[in-house]
Amino acid sequence: MIFGLGGTKALSLPMFAALRRFSILMTMLLELKILGVRPTTAVQVSVYAMIGGALIAASDDLSFNMQGYTYVMITNALTASNGVYVKKKLDTSEIGKYGLMFYNSLFMFVPALLLNYFTGDLHKALEFPSWNDPAFVVQFLLSCVMGFILSYSTILCTQFNSALTTTIVGCLKNICVTYLGMFIGGDYVFSWLNCIGINISVLASLLYTYVTFRRKQAPDKQSHLPSSRGENV
């Protein structure tokens, strides 16, 4: 989350969304290496098209920022690792999704607390003047609840689908951000090559969604076909 926010601050929203698609390639490779899941040809084509579009966009990024690119690539690596290992633990461990959420939060509590202390953010949070404002407190608690729902939904999606599908769904939600970011924010520098690359990456994301759901619907249709063999009365 820290590197993700840093990347969002340093890059335009369209480029941030395009570069986040590298997490999809990393997830696919980690699934093959750790889980032994080999993607179909259609899935590979859609993933490579996403990466190709992101590379085309990055090759003509007129607002290039090395720090932002570094933060995004670190975020991609951490996202891929988290998704694949969550899937592995869900399949092989008896902890369950609630246990994974609990221990993930427990193990990160102390490092996050120390990081906030040394950066001064903990002091700023404690001195924040709106803690006595009921409206702010309610909104803060609602954001905590939504954070739990987001984490739970992510783990649930990984459990019933795959780490790769969860990663791509996360990138699909950025489609609106990609196009709105071209007009809102004022930090996107337009060029034809950059715009074409972003659009290729977005269309490839939609292609993966179509391929995945078509593959899931095929067994369901076959299971509803009537048997060709008659039954003895």
Side-chain angles (χ1 to χ4, degrees):
M1 182 178 291
I2 295 173
F3 289 110
L5 292 174
T8 305
K9 181 180 179 181
L11 300 174
S12 65
L13 288 176
M15 276 310 305
F16 176 80
L19 292 174
R20 284 289 284 134
R21 286 176 173 80
F22 276 92
S23 64
I24 297 170
L25 177 63
M26 296 179 183
T27 302
M28 186 176 71
L29 295 176
L30 283 177
E31 278 192 339
L32 178 63
K33 178 69 176 179
I34 297 174
L35 303 179
V37 177
R38 184 175 296 275
T40 63
T41 302
V43 169
Q44 292 185 51
V45 168
S46 61
V47 171
Y48 295 144
M50 288 183 228
I51 301 304
L55 289 174
I56 293 173
S59 68
D60 198 32
D61 182 11
L62 301 180
S63 58
F64 177 80
N65 186 305
M66 187 62 191
Q67 183 183 34
Y69 273 60
T70 302
Y71 283 169
V72 174
M73 296 310 292
I74 293 175
T75 304
N76 291 337
L78 295 176
T79 299
S81 302
N82 179 71
V84 171
Y85 279 103
V86 164
K87 180 64 174 178
K88 182 179 180 181
K89 290 300 180 182
L90 286 172
D91 292 341
T92 61
S93 175
E94 297 181 356
I95 296 178
K97 48 185 177 290
Y98 296 109
L100 281 175
M101 293 178 63
F102 173 77
Y103 286 111
N104 184 41
S105 301
L106 180 65
F107 293 150
M108 285 306 301
F109 177 76
V110 174
L113 186 64
L114 291 175
L115 180 63
N116 281 276
Y117 175 78
F118 287 113
T119 57
D121 288 340
L122 181 62
H123 177 72
K124 293 179 182 178
L126 294 175
E127 297 295 327
F128 190 65
S130 296
W131 283 116
N132 295 324
D133 184 1
F136 170 77
V137 173
V138 170
Q139 294 174 19
F140 176 78
L141 293 176
L142 285 175
S143 69
C144 294
V145 173
M146 294 305 298
F148 167 78
I149 294 174
L150 175 62
S151 299
Y152 179 74
S153 302
T154 302
I155 291 180
L156 205 62
C157 181
T158 304
Q159 182 179 17
F160 287 104
N161 297 285
S162 68
L164 183 60
T165 298
T166 302
T167 305
I168 293 181
V169 168
C171 291
L172 280 175
K173 68 178 174 54
N174 290 328
I175 291 179
C176 292
V177 174
T178 298
Y179 292 112
L180 289 176
M182 293 181 178
F183 306 99
I184 300 174
D187 55 354
Y188 176 69
V189 182
F190 176 83
S191 73
W192 280 109
L193 190 60
N194 181 270
C195 184
I196 290 172
I198 289 175
N199 280 280
I200 291 174
S201 187
V202 169
L203 291 175
S205 302
L206 297 175
L207 174 63
Y208 174 87
T209 305
Y210 169 75
V211 169
T212 302
F213 281 99
R214 187 184 65 174
R215 185 179 58 190
K216 285 182 175 296
Q217 289 174 359
D220 295 338
K221 291 181 179 179
Q222 292 179 1
S223 64
H224 288 87
L225 290 176
S227 175
S228 60
R229 299 178 61 182
E231 295 180 1
N232 294 328
V233 179

